């Protein structure tokens, strides 16, 4: 399979040993909002594009503009940002997968992950809150999944963090409770990407939050705080228990997240 990563410079092609963070298009677009915050806060430079015919084409102005000079830079449906200092790569996906091409997109994605030799992959996702089973209604809305390959290199890290693993549910509720399966309604390709990664031995973790459509900015901050407990993107200051919302930088594009407002001329 031909490479789908197009580097924008000669020094940008080697991402071996990096941690890859990426979203999945899912309910509330929480993963994409979370990635926006990471790229904006860390001021990550764009190092290339993820070229795929499986994504709907999108083009627009720079969503992370900081000056009038760089506001006119163009962005497309999927781009890669990276920091050599932090050994961190971030894939942002801005459009849904073309109908019927979900499997092809997963194959392209996994091929690139293996070719790049990332040390681990973190998938940020979300799931419909109204589909939760009874035992998921109490406590934190945050969950994780880790492939056997990641568990091998992470040891008991997730137990130390006291994270809750995503509960399996009955594959045939009301008929048999013996066969259990992963259930992520509204999660797009999250489940299939996780299963593929288990099969292919890729060290991958899924971090997700139960949520509903609407203003999902608070969900993005919650998911980002959850991620930061494991991978220290930014450090806590003084005697903080957790990183505060104010420590994350909101990208300029969020000013139009819900449109440009109601025209006063209507009144």
């Amino acid at each position: 399979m031909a490479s789908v990563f197009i580097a924008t410079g000669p020094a940008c092609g080697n991402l071996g040993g990096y941690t890859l963070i990426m979203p999945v298009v899912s309910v509330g677009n929480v993963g994409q909002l979370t990635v926006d915050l990471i790229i904006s806060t860390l001021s990550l430079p764009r190092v290339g594009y993820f070229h795929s015919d499986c994504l709907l084409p999108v083009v627009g102005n720079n969503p992370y503009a900081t000056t009038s000079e760089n506001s006119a830079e163009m962005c497309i449906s999927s781009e890669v940002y990276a920091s050599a200092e932090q050994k961190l790569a971030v894939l942002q996906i801005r459009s849904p997968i073309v109908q019927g091409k979900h499997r092809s997109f997963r194959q392209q994605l996994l091929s690139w992950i293996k070719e790049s030799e990332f040390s681990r992959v973190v998938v940020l996702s979300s799931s419909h809150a109204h589909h939760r089973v009874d035992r998921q209604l109490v406590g934190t809305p945050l969950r994780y999944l880790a492939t056997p390959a990641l568990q091998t290199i992470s040891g008991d890290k997730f137990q130390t963090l006291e994270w809750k693993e995503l509960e399996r549910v009955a594959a045939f509720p009301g008929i048999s409770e013996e066969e259990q399966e992963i259930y992520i309604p509204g999660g797009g390709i999250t489940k299939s990407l996780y299963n593929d990664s288990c099969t292919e031995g890729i060290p991958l973790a899924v971090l997700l939050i139960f949520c509903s459509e609407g203003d999902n900015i608070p969900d993005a901050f919650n998911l980002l705080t959850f991620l930061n407990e494991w991978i220290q993107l930014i450090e806590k200051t003084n005697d903080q228990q957790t990183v505060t919302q104010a420590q994350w930088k909101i990208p300029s594009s969020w000013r139009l997240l819900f449109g440009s407002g109601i025209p006063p001329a209507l009144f």
Side-chain angles (χ1 to χ4, degrees), residues 97-156:
I97 302 170
V98 175
Q99 187 173 358
K101 291 197 172 185
H102 291 74
R103 183 177 181 182
S104 295
F105 181 68
R106 296 199 316 272
Q107 291 174 339
Q108 291 176 356
L109 189 59
L110 292 175
S111 176
W112 175 59
I113 287 171
K114 289 187 288 187
E115 178 185 303
S116 300
E117 299 181 341
F118 291 113
S119 61
R120 58 187 173 181
V121 181
V122 184
V123 174
L124 304 176
S125 184
S126 50
S127 182
H128 283 300
H130 64 272
H131 278 284
R132 286 174 294 176
V133 296
D134 289 349
R135 62 184 181 278
Q136 294 173 333
L137 295 172
V138 179
T140 177
L142 297 156
R143 295 292 189 276
Y144 85 94
L145 287 169
T147 63
L150 181 63
Q151 292 174 13
T152 298
I153 63 177
S154 296
D156 60 355

Coordinates of all heavy atoms in Angstrom, one line a residue, residues 97-156:
I97 N -15.7 10.0 7.2 CA -15.3 9.0 6.2 C -16.4 8.8 5.2 O -17.6 8.8 5.5 CB -15.0 7.6 6.9 CG1 -13.9 7.9 8.0 CG2 -14.5 6.6 5.9 CD1 -13.7 6.6 8.9
V98 N -16.0 8.7 3.9 CA -16.9 8.4 2.8 C -17.6 7.1 3.1 O -17.0 6.1 3.5 CB -16.2 8.4 1.5 CG1 -17.1 8.0 0.4 CG2 -15.5 9.7 1.2
Q99 N -18.9 7.1 2.8 CA -19.7 5.9 3.1 C -19.2 4.8 2.3 O -18.9 4.9 1.1 CB -21.2 6.2 2.7 CG -22.1 5.1 3.0 CD -23.6 5.4 2.8 OE1 -23.9 6.5 2.3 NE2 -24.5 4.5 3.0
G100 N -19.0 3.6 2.9 CA -18.5 2.4 2.3 C -17.0 2.3 2.3 O -16.5 1.3 1.8
K101 N -16.3 3.3 2.8 CA -14.8 3.3 2.8 C -14.2 3.2 4.2 O -13.0 3.5 4.4 CB -14.3 4.5 2.0 CG -14.6 4.4 0.5 CD -13.7 5.4 -0.2 CE -13.8 5.2 -1.7 NZ -12.9 6.0 -2.5
H102 N -15.0 2.8 5.2 CA -14.5 2.7 6.6 C -13.4 1.7 6.7 O -12.4 2.0 7.3 CB -15.6 2.4 7.5 CG -16.7 3.5 7.7 ND1 -17.6 3.8 6.7 CD2 -16.9 4.4 8.7 CE1 -18.3 4.8 7.1 NE2 -17.9 5.2 8.3
R103 N -13.6 0.6 6.1 CA -12.5 -0.5 6.2 C -11.3 0.0 5.5 O -10.2 -0.2 6.0 CB -13.0 -1.8 5.6 CG -12.1 -2.9 5.7 CD -12.6 -4.2 5.2 NE -11.7 -5.3 5.3 CZ -11.9 -6.5 4.9 NH1 -13.1 -6.8 4.3 NH2 -11.0 -7.5 5.0
S104 N -11.4 0.6 4.3 CA -10.2 1.0 3.6 C -9.5 2.1 4.4 O -8.2 2.1 4.4 CB -10.6 1.6 2.2 OG -11.2 0.6 1.4
F105 N -10.2 3.0 5.0 CA -9.5 4.0 5.8 C -8.8 3.4 7.0 O -7.6 3.8 7.3 CB -10.6 5.0 6.3 CG -10.0 6.2 7.1 CD1 -9.2 7.1 6.5 CD2 -10.2 6.3 8.5 CE1 -8.6 8.1 7.2 CE2 -9.6 7.3 9.2 CZ -8.8 8.2 8.6
R106 N -9.4 2.4 7.6 CA -8.7 1.8 8.8 C -7.4 1.1 8.3 O -6.4 1.2 8.9 CB -9.6 0.8 9.4 CG -10.8 1.3 10.1 CD -11.4 0.4 11.1 NE -11.5 -1.0 10.7 CZ -12.5 -1.5 10.0 NH1 -13.6 -0.8 9.7 NH2 -12.5 -2.8 9.7
Q107 N -7.5 0.5 7.1 CA -6.3 -0.2 6.6 C -5.2 0.8 6.3 O -4.0 0.6 6.5 CB -6.7 -1.0 5.3 CG -7.5 -2.2 5.6 CD -8.0 -2.9 4.3 OE1 -8.0 -2.3 3.3 NE2 -8.4 -4.1 4.5
Q108 N -5.6 2.0 5.7 CA -4.6 3.0 5.4 C -4.0 3.6 6.7 O -2.7 3.8 6.7 CB -5.3 4.2 4.6 CG -5.7 3.8 3.2 CD -6.4 5.0 2.5 OE1 -6.7 6.0 3.2 NE2 -6.8 4.8 1.3
L109 N -4.8 3.8 7.6 CA -4.3 4.3 8.9 C -3.4 3.4 9.6 O -2.3 3.8 10.1 CB -5.6 4.6 9.8 CG -5.4 5.4 11.1 CD1 -4.7 6.8 10.8 CD2 -6.7 5.6 11.8
L110 N -3.8 2.1 9.7 CA -2.9 1.1 10.4 C -1.6 0.9 9.6 O -0.6 0.7 10.2 CB -3.7 -0.2 10.6 CG -4.9 -0.1 11.6 CD1 -5.6 -1.4 11.6 CD2 -4.4 0.2 13.0
S111 N -1.7 0.9 8.3 CA -0.5 0.8 7.5 C 0.5 1.9 7.8 O 1.7 1.7 7.9 CB -0.8 0.8 6.0 OG 0.3 0.7 5.2
W112 N 0.0 3.1 7.9 CA 0.8 4.3 8.2 C 1.4 4.2 9.6 O 2.6 4.5 9.8 CB 0.0 5.6 8.0 CG 0.8 6.8 8.4 CD1 2.0 7.3 7.9 CD2 0.4 7.8 9.5 NE1 2.3 8.4 8.6 CE2 1.4 8.8 9.5 CE3 -0.7 7.8 10.3 CZ2 1.3 9.8 10.4 CZ3 -0.8 8.9 11.2 CH2 0.2 9.9 11.2
I113 N 0.6 3.8 10.5 CA 1.1 3.6 11.9 C 2.2 2.6 12.0 O 3.2 2.9 12.7 CB -0.1 3.2 12.8 CG1 -1.1 4.3 13.0 CG2 0.4 2.7 14.2 CD1 -2.4 4.0 13.7
K114 N 2.1 1.5 11.3 CA 3.2 0.5 11.4 C 4.4 1.0 10.6 O 5.5 0.8 11.1 CB 2.6 -0.8 10.8 CG 1.6 -1.5 11.7 CD 1.3 -2.9 11.2 CE 0.4 -2.9 10.0 NZ -0.1 -4.2 9.6
E115 N 4.2 1.6 9.5 CA 5.3 2.2 8.7 C 6.1 3.2 9.4 O 7.3 3.3 9.4 CB 4.7 2.7 7.4 CG 5.7 3.4 6.5 CD 5.1 4.0 5.3 OE1 4.4 3.3 4.5 OE2 5.3 5.2 5.1
S116 N 5.3 4.1 10.2 CA 6.0 5.1 11.0 C 6.7 4.7 12.2 O 7.5 5.4 12.8 CB 5.0 6.2 11.3 OG 4.4 6.8 10.2
E117 N 6.3 3.5 12.7 CA 6.9 2.9 13.9 C 6.6 3.8 15.2 O 7.6 4.0 15.9 CB 8.4 2.6 13.7 CG 8.6 1.6 12.6 CD 10.1 1.3 12.5 OE1 11.0 2.1 12.9 OE2 10.4 0.3 11.8
F118 N 5.4 4.2 15.3 CA 5.0 5.0 16.5 C 5.2 4.0 17.7 O 4.9 2.8 17.7 CB 3.6 5.5 16.4 CG 3.4 6.5 15.4 CD1 2.6 6.3 14.3 CD2 3.9 7.8 15.5 CE1 2.4 7.2 13.3 CE2 3.7 8.8 14.6 CZ 3.0 8.5 13.5
S119 N 5.6 4.6 18.9 CA 5.8 3.8 20.1 C 4.5 3.5 20.7 O 4.3 2.4 21.3 CB 6.6 4.6 21.1 OG 6.0 5.8 21.5
R120 N 3.4 4.3 20.5 CA 2.1 4.0 21.0 C 1.1 5.0 20.3 O 1.5 6.0 19.8 CB 2.0 4.2 22.5 CG 2.4 5.6 23.0 CD 2.5 5.7 24.5 NE 3.0 6.9 24.9 CZ 3.2 7.3 26.2 NH1 2.9 6.5 27.2 NH2 3.7 8.5 26.5
V121 N -0.1 4.5 20.3 CA -1.2 5.3 19.6 C -2.3 5.6 20.6 O -2.7 4.6 21.3 CB -1.7 4.6 18.4 CG1 -2.8 5.5 17.7 CG2 -0.6 4.3 17.4
V122 N -2.8 6.8 20.7 CA -3.9 7.1 21.6 C -5.0 7.7 20.7 O -4.9 8.7 20.0 CB -3.5 8.2 22.6 CG1 -4.7 8.5 23.6 CG2 -2.3 7.8 23.4
V123 N -6.2 7.0 20.8 CA -7.4 7.4 20.0 C -8.3 8.0 21.0 O -8.7 7.5 22.0 CB -8.0 6.1 19.4 CG1 -9.3 6.5 18.7 CG2 -7.1 5.5 18.4
L124 N -8.8 9.2 20.6 CA -9.7 10.0 21.4 C -11.1 9.9 20.8 O -11.3 10.2 19.6 CB -9.3 11.5 21.5 CG -7.9 11.7 22.0 CD1 -7.5 13.2 22.0 CD2 -7.8 11.2 23.5
S125 N -12.1 9.5 21.6 CA -13.4 9.2 21.0 C -14.5 9.5 22.0 O -14.2 10.0 23.1 CB -13.5 7.7 20.6 OG -14.7 7.4 20.0
S126 N -15.7 9.2 21.6 CA -16.9 9.5 22.5 C -18.0 8.5 22.1 O -18.0 7.9 21.1 CB -17.4 10.9 22.3 OG -17.5 11.2 20.9
S127 N -19.0 8.4 23.0 CA -20.1 7.5 22.8 C -21.3 8.1 23.4 O -21.3 8.8 24.3 CB -19.7 6.1 23.5 OG -20.7 5.2 23.3
H128 N -22.5 7.7 22.8 CA -23.8 8.2 23.2 C -24.0 7.9 24.7 O -24.0 6.8 25.1 CB -24.9 7.6 22.4 CG -25.0 8.2 21.0 ND1 -25.2 9.5 20.8 CD2 -24.9 7.6 19.8 CE1 -25.3 9.7 19.5 NE2 -25.1 8.6 18.8
A129 N -24.3 9.0 25.4 CA -24.6 8.9 26.9 C -25.9 8.1 27.1 O -26.0 7.4 28.1 CB -24.6 10.2 27.5
H130 N -26.8 8.2 26.2 CA -28.2 7.6 26.5 C -28.2 6.1 26.2 O -29.2 5.4 26.5 CB -29.3 8.3 25.7 CG -29.1 8.2 24.2 ND1 -28.4 9.1 23.5 CD2 -29.6 7.3 23.3 CE1 -28.4 8.7 22.2 NE2 -29.2 7.7 22.1
H131 N -27.0 5.6 25.7 CA -26.9 4.1 25.5 C -26.2 3.4 26.6 O -25.9 2.2 26.5 CB -26.2 3.9 24.2 CG -27.1 4.0 23.0 ND1 -28.0 3.0 22.6 CD2 -27.2 4.9 22.0 CE1 -28.6 3.3 21.5 NE2 -28.2 4.5 21.1
R132 N -25.9 4.1 27.7 CA -25.1 3.5 28.8 C -26.0 2.4 29.5 O -27.2 2.6 29.6 CB -24.7 4.6 29.8 CG -23.6 5.5 29.4 CD -23.3 6.6 30.4 NE -24.4 7.5 30.5 CZ -24.5 8.5 31.3 NH1 -23.5 8.7 32.2 NH2 -25.5 9.3 31.3
V133 N -25.3 1.4 29.9 CA -25.9 0.4 30.7 C -25.9 0.9 32.2 O -25.3 1.8 32.5 CB -25.2 -1.0 30.6 CG1 -25.3 -1.5 29.2 CG2 -23.8 -0.9 31.0
D134 N -26.7 0.2 33.1 CA -26.9 0.7 34.4 C -25.6 0.9 35.2 O -25.4 2.0 35.8 CB -27.7 -0.4 35.2 CG -29.1 -0.4 34.8 OD1 -29.6 0.5 34.0 OD2 -29.9 -1.4 35.2
R135 N -24.6 0.0 35.1 CA -23.4 0.2 35.8 C -22.5 1.3 35.3 O -21.5 1.7 35.9 CB -22.6 -1.1 35.9 CG -22.1 -1.6 34.6 CD -21.4 -3.0 34.8 NE -20.9 -3.6 33.6 CZ -21.6 -4.3 32.7 NH1 -22.9 -4.5 32.9 NH2 -21.1 -4.8 31.6
Q136 N -22.8 1.9 34.1 CA -22.1 3.1 33.6 C -22.7 4.4 33.9 O -22.2 5.4 33.6 CB -22.0 2.9 32.1 CG -21.2 1.7 31.6 CD -21.3 1.5 30.1 OE1 -22.3 1.9 29.4 NE2 -20.3 0.9 29.5
L137 N -23.8 4.4 34.7 CA -24.5 5.6 35.0 C -24.0 6.3 36.2 O -24.2 7.5 36.4 CB -26.0 5.3 35.2 CG -26.8 4.8 34.0 CD1 -28.2 4.4 34.4 CD2 -26.9 5.9 32.9
V138 N -23.2 5.6 37.0 CA -22.6 6.2 38.2 C -21.1 6.4 38.1 O -20.4 5.6 37.5 CB -22.9 5.2 39.4 CG1 -22.3 5.8 40.7 CG2 -24.4 4.9 39.6
G139 N -20.7 7.6 38.6 CA -19.3 7.9 38.6 C -18.9 8.6 37.3 O -19.7 9.2 36.6
T140 N -17.6 8.5 37.0 CA -17.0 9.2 35.9 C -17.6 8.8 34.5 O -17.8 7.6 34.4 CB -15.5 9.1 35.9 OG1 -14.9 9.7 34.7 CG2 -15.1 7.6 35.8
P141 N -17.7 9.7 33.6 CA -18.2 9.3 32.2 C -17.0 8.9 31.3 O -17.2 8.6 30.2 CB -18.8 10.6 31.7 CG -18.0 11.7 32.4 CD -17.7 11.2 33.7
L142 N -15.8 8.9 31.9 CA -14.6 8.6 31.1 C -14.2 7.1 31.2 O -14.3 6.5 32.3 CB -13.4 9.4 31.6 CG -13.6 10.9 31.5 CD1 -12.8 11.7 32.5 CD2 -13.3 11.4 30.0
R143 N -13.8 6.5 30.1 CA -13.4 5.1 30.0 C -12.2 5.0 29.1 O -11.8 5.8 28.3 CB -14.5 4.3 29.4 CG -15.8 4.2 30.3 CD -15.6 3.5 31.6 NE -16.8 3.2 32.3 CZ -17.4 4.1 33.1 NH1 -16.9 5.3 33.3 NH2 -18.6 3.8 33.7
Y144 N -11.5 3.8 29.2 CA -10.4 3.5 28.4 C -10.4 2.0 27.9 O -11.1 1.2 28.5 CB -9.1 3.8 29.1 CG -8.6 2.6 30.0 CD1 -7.7 1.7 29.5 CD2 -9.1 2.4 31.3 CE1 -7.2 0.6 30.3 CE2 -8.7 1.4 32.1 CZ -7.7 0.5 31.6 OH -7.3 -0.6 32.3
L145 N -9.7 1.8 26.8 CA -9.4 0.4 26.4 C -8.0 0.4 26.0 O -7.4 1.4 25.5 CB -10.3 0.1 25.1 CG -11.8 -0.2 25.3 CD1 -12.5 -0.2 24.0 CD2 -12.0 -1.5 26.0
A146 N -7.3 -0.7 26.2 CA -5.9 -0.8 25.8 C -5.7 -2.2 25.1 O -6.2 -3.2 25.6 CB -5.0 -0.7 27.0
T147 N -5.0 -2.2 24.0 CA -4.7 -3.4 23.3 C -3.7 -4.3 24.1 O -2.9 -3.7 25.0 CB -4.1 -3.2 21.9 OG1 -2.9 -2.5 22.1 CG2 -5.1 -2.4 21.1
P148 N -3.6 -5.6 23.9 CA -2.6 -6.4 24.6 C -1.2 -5.9 24.4 O -0.4 -5.9 25.4 CB -2.8 -7.8 24.0 CG -4.2 -7.8 23.6 CD -4.5 -6.4 23.1
A149 N -0.9 -5.4 23.2 CA 0.5 -4.9 22.9 C 0.8 -3.7 23.8 O 1.9 -3.5 24.3 CB 0.6 -4.5 21.5
L150 N -0.2 -2.8 24.0 CA 0.0 -1.6 24.9 C 0.1 -2.0 26.4 O 0.9 -1.5 27.1 CB -1.1 -0.6 24.7 CG -0.9 0.7 25.5 CD1 0.4 1.4 25.1 CD2 -2.1 1.6 25.4
Q151 N -0.7 -3.0 26.8 CA -0.7 -3.4 28.2 C 0.7 -4.0 28.5 O 1.2 -3.9 29.6 CB -1.8 -4.5 28.4 CG -3.2 -3.9 28.3 CD -4.3 -5.0 28.4 OE1 -4.0 -6.1 28.8 NE2 -5.5 -4.6 28.1
T152 N 1.3 -4.7 27.5 CA 2.6 -5.2 27.8 C 3.7 -4.2 28.1 O 4.5 -4.4 29.0 CB 3.1 -6.0 26.5 OG1 2.2 -7.1 26.3 CG2 4.5 -6.6 26.7
I153 N 3.6 -3.1 27.4 CA 4.6 -2.0 27.6 C 4.2 -1.0 28.7 O 5.1 -0.3 29.3 CB 5.0 -1.3 26.3 CG1 3.7 -0.5 25.8 CG2 5.5 -2.2 25.3 CD1 4.0 0.3 24.6
S154 N 2.9 -1.0 29.1 CA 2.5 0.0 30.1 C 2.4 -0.6 31.5 O 2.4 0.1 32.4 CB 1.1 0.5 29.7 OG 1.1 1.2 28.5
G155 N 2.4 -1.9 31.5 CA 2.3 -2.6 32.8 C 1.0 -2.3 33.6 O 0.0 -2.3 33.0
D156 N 1.2 -1.9 34.8 CA 0.0 -1.6 35.6 C -0.3 -0.1 35.7 O -1.0 0.4 36.6 CB 0.1 -2.1 37.0 CG 1.3 -1.5 37.8 OD1 2.1 -0.7 37.1 OD2 1.5 -1.8 39.0

